[in-house]
Amino acid sequence: MSTAVATPTVPAAAARPAASSPAPAPMSRLFLVCVVLAICIWGGNWPVMKFGSQFIPPLWFAASRFLSAAILSFVIAVVLCKLRLPTRQEWPVVVGVGVLQMGLFTALVTGALHFVMPGRASLIAYATSIWVVPGAALVLKQKLSPQQSLATVCSYAGMAVIVLPALLHADLHSMIGYLMLGVASLSWAMNILQIKMSPGVKLDFALLPWQTLVAALPLSLLALAVDGAPSFLADPHAWGVIAYTGPLATALTFLIVLQMTQRLSPVTVSVCMLGVPVVGLTLSSLVFGERLSSDLVLGMGLLCLGLVLPALPSLGLRRLATKG
């Protein structure tokens, strides 16, 4: 299943009807539903992580998330006869996903939730377009389509409206959390660009067990060294939190998001991921009473507009845009 992706000018040889270079097809409705599902699950994960951070240490929180996801994905891979070792070409991407997008990102955002509320925090963590847009232009030499350009402007404006007031009034305690979230955003952006620079690697379910294992092992060793034994497992609430953040928000959702990263352009992926903080902000306001002020409402409106615009070509509206 392929999707409409913004690409550089195609050479004439590739334009011929060769079997190895088919024309990109529009995004299927099933894949679009999966993308929306992933955004909603990850948006809901932020209030769950904030709740779990009250009784689970940050490192153990991140480690338990990927340990549970690794166990589940290994079991499913064995049952489906899909378990295999990654090839030499696949290992760098497996390590990149496990370290940058899973391990480092999750450890940083989980720790940051001890300093800041989940609503605005989710926006900063998922603001990968800040890094991906210039990175795609410099590293991948990618030119933005009109839809991507307008979506990027809307997403930058939305982030500025939401984040700047918080930064201007933040104390040292909050600034530590915001700094951790900024580094987390950068680590994910680096992995997005790495994946786009590895077109020969297919991010299917066969690699997911190894990606989660790469994330889980160093996090578990670090958690043991820093926080000691996982005594939080005696709390029954911990098991519900781990069930959501591990099997659901990791094993299932990461597979969808990695497919997005491979099928869509880096800019489109980074803008689409801003839907996560929109869901997170809404749920945080309902669960934790995080007030939806006028700046949050305006910012979320701009983010939603930025989310819709990249999808217009894949929904068959490109011809309408060119005719107009």
Side-chain angles (χ1 to χ4, degrees):
M1 186 184 339
S2 59
T3 60
V5 180
T7 58
T9 304
V10 181
R16 291 193 294 264
S20 58
S21 302
M27 183 189 300
S28 72
R29 291 183 180 180
L30 176 60
F31 186 67
L32 186 60
V33 169
C34 290
V35 170
V36 173
L37 177 64
I39 290 173
C40 291
I41 291 174
W42 264 0
N45 195 41
W46 280 85
V48 172
M49 287 194 297
K50 180 65 176 178
F51 172 73
S53 67
Q54 299 174 17
F55 48 87
I56 304 178
L59 288 174
W60 268 123
F61 201 137
S64 61
R65 174 180 181 177
F66 292 107
L67 273 174
S68 60
I71 293 171
L72 177 64
S73 55
F74 267 106
V75 170
I76 294 176
V78 170
V79 171
L80 298 179
C81 299
K82 289 185 176 292
L83 184 63
R84 63 174 178 83
L85 281 171
T87 65
R88 182 178 299 181
Q89 185 184 19
E90 293 169 337
W91 268 118
V93 177
V94 169
V95 173
V97 171
V99 172
L100 294 174
Q101 186 176 156
M102 292 184 175
L104 182 59
F105 177 88
T106 304
L108 287 170
V109 299
T110 305
L113 288 176
H114 286 265
F115 300 94
V116 294
M117 290 294 286
R120 292 181 192 263
S122 63
L123 175 75
I124 300 175
Y126 283 92
T128 55
S129 58
I130 293 176
W131 317 103
V132 168
V133 172
L138 294 174
V139 179
L140 304 178
K141 310 299 181 184
Q142 185 181 73
K143 294 182 180 180
L144 301 184
S145 68
Q147 286 89 347
Q148 287 178 322
S149 299
L150 186 56
T152 302
V153 171
C154 291
S155 63
Y156 270 105
M159 287 186 290
V161 168
I162 294 176
V163 174
L164 287 181
L167 293 179
L168 292 175
H169 298 92
D171 54 16
L172 179 61
H173 188 265
S174 299
M175 288 301 296
I176 294 174
Y178 290 135
L179 179 61
M180 295 172 69
L181 293 166
V183 177
S185 175
L186 175 60
S187 71
W188 190 351
M190 292 170 60
N191 184 237
I192 290 175
L193 296 176
Q194 179 201 16
I195 291 173
K196 299 308 294 186
M197 294 172 65
S198 308
V201 177
K202 184 179 180 182
L203 295 172
D204 56 14
F205 183 80
L207 297 183
L208 184 62
W210 304 103
Q211 291 162 348
T212 51
L213 185 64
V214 166
L217 287 180
L219 285 172
S220 299
L221 294 175
L222 190 59
L224 277 172
V226 175
D227 297 321
S231 57
F232 62 90
L233 292 176
D235 190 329
H237 294 97
W239 291 99
V241 171
I242 293 172
Y244 186 98
T245 60
L248 185 59
T250 302
L252 171 64
T253 314
F254 263 107
L255 185 61
I256 298 173
V257 173
L258 289 173
Q259 290 292 310
M260 285 175 58
T261 304
Q262 193 162 49
R263 295 169 186 265
L264 307 178
S265 73
V267 175
T268 300
V269 172
S270 62
V271 172
C272 284
M273 283 295 97
L274 288 174
V276 175
V278 171
V279 177
L281 276 166
T282 304
L283 293 177
S284 180
S285 67
L286 297 174
V287 177
F288 296 103
E290 190 170 1
R291 190 172 62 90
L292 282 177
S293 57
S294 57
D295 60 320
L296 285 178
V297 174
L298 175 59
M300 284 196 295
L302 290 169
L303 290 179
C304 290
L305 181 59
L307 287 170
V308 171
L309 289 171
L312 293 182
S314 62
L315 293 175
L317 299 181
R318 176 177 291 175
R319 294 180 182 177
L320 293 180
T322 56
K323 287 180 180 179

